[in-house]
Amino acid sequence: MSHNLKNITLKIWRQDGPQAKGNFETHVIDEITDEASFLEMLDILNDKLVHDGKEAVVFDHDCREGICGTCSLMIDGQAHGPQRGTATCQLHMRQFQDNATITIEPWRASAFPLIKDLMVDRSAFDRVIESGGYITAETGGAPDANLIPIPKPIADAAMDSAECIGCGACVAACPNGAANLFTAAKVAHLNRLPQGQAERYSRVENMVETMDEHFGSCTNHGECEAACPKEISIDVIALMHKDYRKAKFANRKDLARK
Amino acid sequence: MSLTDQLLAQNTVKLDSKIPAGPMADKWNSYKDNMKLVNPNNKRKFKVIVVGTGLAGASAAATLAELGYQVDAFTFHDSARRAHSIAAQGGINGAKNYKGDGDSIHRLFYDTVKGGDFRAREANVHRLAENSVDIIDQMVAQGVPFAREYGGLLDNRSFGGAQVSRTFYARGQTGQQLLLGAYQQFSRQVGLGGIRLFNRTELIDVVVIDGHASGIVVRDLVTGELQSHAAHAVVLATGGYGNAFFLSTNAMACNVTAAWRAHRKGALFANPCYTQIHPTCIPQSDDSQSKLTLMSESLRNDGRVWVPTNPNETRPAHEVPENERDYYLERLYPSFGNLAPRDISSRAAKRAVDKGLGVGPKKNGVYLDFADAINRLGREVVEERYGNLFEMYERIAGENPYEQPMRIYPASHYTMGGLWVDYELMTNIPGLYAAGEANFSDHGANRLGASALMQGLSDGYFVLPYTIGNYLAPMLNKAIPGTDHPAFKAAEEEARIRFNGYLASGGTKSPDYFHRELGKIIWDYCGMERTEEGLKKALSDLPALYDEFKTDLRVTGNGESMNQTLEKAGRVDDFFQLGMLMCKDALDRQESCGGHFRAEYQTEEGEALRDDENYCHVSAWQWGGDPMKPNLNVEKLEFEEVHLATRSYK
């Protein structure tokens, strides 16, 4: 049964722009139903701020179903908050207690420059995908979908890593701001499939090198896996490293690389 | 003379659907055989703007760029991977007949026309069914990890409104996997320079010069700067308008602005009253709720819908004996049972709740029960099929659906209406195209499950790349207006005045407040059931609330940096104007069909009663300068292949 939470103190990061100085702003929510989602709490706060003639807190969000990957937020120092396997938009106030103080910050990573308040620019992820996170199959020439059977365990494993929503929690949680989990999830998705074999080694090389241009290095902390709202296993990073090494040692003439 | 013919004689806009001649099954091939082509080396001389990067937009942009056109793609999201196509759960139809259960292109075509309650354009639907087969091939080639059987072949399931298994799926995240497939193909083109991507950039106006779409005006959401972009053709793949209801399963940012601004520039808006209410959403839990969450319709494959027969039932679900439960869908529609189409299932749920039989703390839902499926298949199989949906339900509702039935209730989900387009997906403005949910063409008055993904990809991958070439070919080496043309400057100036106006309005209420109030009116009077009286009330309440919006709006912050309150104000403004048109259209259509249910027009059993004599037409509305005074134009729907029949799922 639902009940109302009382006296929630929010410490929210406010910052006008990437160059501006930021600070924490404190707001108190006197009462809120625990059925409300975390972002609905911010909606209510924003409505009040606008009503009081103040500027609303800027934060990214969209589907509120945990699938689009738009929402972010460090909540009490944890990417997407305290509930494991849950994006911020699916976090509900029933996870909190009366009189709680909740600190809300943006993703903090040098590859994700701040835009305003709690919103950051995650375009570096798109650059990684553009460099090789695809299978080249231009429209029109595809063979029948059942031509190549894919063993179910392989299809399932590919799907496990394809579930990544590109939210950036892995980068935000990583002390080095590394994007290995994000990059490896895509490599593992495509490199496991028969359709992905033709570009297997060029893909991993290009993606890893683009990743390194933007993000920090992985030192196996494992924070990314703990923060991932889709609970993608850190094993994919091993797979990426294995393929990267193979790509470097592979007979380059045979691979017809560019 | 029927009403349709009378109205046809009064049309002020010539609506040529451009349906190719010949037998239904040959029309699309015959179109492709006869269309004009642009030589591969000349394609780079043409620029095409694609607005929106969902399934339709991303697939169109990627394919056009692969062909060699210069593509400028715009999204208001931070990345092209976020559009709401991503949230589709259940699946995508494809007439592959991999199950050998009698499926065919003709059967998918027939099911879609019938599912749409005979209010769609036959030729478009047939093409959609033909393309469905190629879409599955294309997406598998892109690496979409569809569900497979142990032998390695693709798995299928069945969906509402169909008696064959033709739905391909990737767990409960089919939309996500398809969108990521299209996004990756799109991203490859961004990397290769075929597409220029403008993210966090929202369309503010469409520019029409000498009757042709010449470009767009956009607003950079980060800096607030207005910019003009000129092109040879403009594609709007900007989704539906379900957020007019405020509470819907749409994402928070989904809006009608692009389609509406095109409408104000002369594009006709067709069938705005055809909105789909999805039967399986999580019921509203409190008043601060911002959106409703859909539970995939695929759950109805194994879940059984019921309500207690006693309105005062207080026992937990599992303690209610079988003889005190009403499995009303199985009882009313024995041949389709729990898989009855969406409009029919939604209204049945509404009737049960209206009778006081609803369940849950607010008595605003019905049960969707998996106890039988768990007994029959075992928990493991149920978990494999629906595990992520069950988890999502538990996170939101705080109840475990393995142990107690889900509670569900209908919510606004999809809009069949949209910009009027001809067979080539071109609006009545030459050079302006609408694709995916933004157009009206394929679903008639009701969309079948697993057909939205199919339509988005069909339009983007397999229709626009051909039809746009047919339009561009004669324009080779002819100059087009640049962004220095006065029409661009005028559109920018108008946009500047509009946005400055929101900032300066100096009232007391937020855009969200108005959106919520607007949504309540539309849901109450133009939702699942509509009446003449209610619609008239809505049409008097809406202008009054809109006046209040114009005088009592408060937008804080400024126009020179990221300002989500300001963005919202512009979107709500357009929703107001659209809302009036929705009610006007619903009032005008004096019949019930699919998602448009007028209480005055129903059979004795309470089913939709169509009037084929007078309403077998598309209502395409023209902007008349005042949102309350649109002009009606009609396109008569002729059925050559499918016999007009009463839609029955009994």
Side-chain angles (χ1 to χ4, degrees), chain B residues 8-173:
Chain B
L8 208 51
Q10 295 164 17
N11 272 2
T12 52
V13 178
K14 188 168 173 288
L15 292 179
D16 179 3
S17 58
K18 294 195 219 147
I19 298 170
M24 191 59 65
D26 299 340
K27 284 181 192 295
W28 180 228
N29 281 331
S30 131
Y31 176 89
K32 287 190 282 188
D33 289 346
N34 293 302
M35 68 182 188
K36 297 188 221 41
L37 296 172
V38 179
N39 170 314
N41 290 325
N42 283 331
K43 287 197 174 85
R44 62 172 173 275
K45 296 178 183 168
F46 292 103
K47 172 164 282 186
V48 181
I49 283 172
V50 179
V51 187
T53 55
L55 282 180
S59 58
T63 308
L64 289 165
E66 286 167 4
L67 289 169
Y69 296 108
Q70 299 173 50
V71 177
D72 281 356
F74 295 83
T75 173
F76 59 62
H77 292 289
D78 67 327
S79 162
R81 64 183 293 153
R82 310 275 188 220
H84 200 54
S85 309
I86 208 159
Q89 297 168 353
I92 177 165
N93 288 326
K96 283 285 198 183
N97 194 30
Y98 281 160
K99 291 285 174 190
D101 58 359
D103 197 12
S104 64
I105 286 171
H106 185 270
R107 202 175 278 279
L108 174 55
F109 156 70
Y110 176 81
D111 285 350
T112 308
V113 172
K114 178 187 171 193
D117 216 354
F118 307 94
R119 290 292 176 263
R121 192 190 286 145
E122 263 190 331
N124 287 55
V125 180
H126 200 280
R127 175 178 63 193
L128 175 67
E130 289 170 55
N131 289 344
S132 72
V133 176
D134 298 329
I135 292 168
I136 303 304
D137 297 341
Q138 178 63 26
M139 296 324 286
V140 168
Q142 294 293 344
V144 169
F146 283 122
R148 294 194 174 251
E149 293 169 345
Y150 280 96
L153 300 180
L154 290 156
D155 193 17
N156 288 129
R157 58 187 174 199
S158 59
F159 239 71
Q163 287 179 309
V164 291
S165 285
R166 61 159 76 97
T167 304
F168 296 79
Y169 65 100
R171 293 191 190 145
Q173 291 121 286

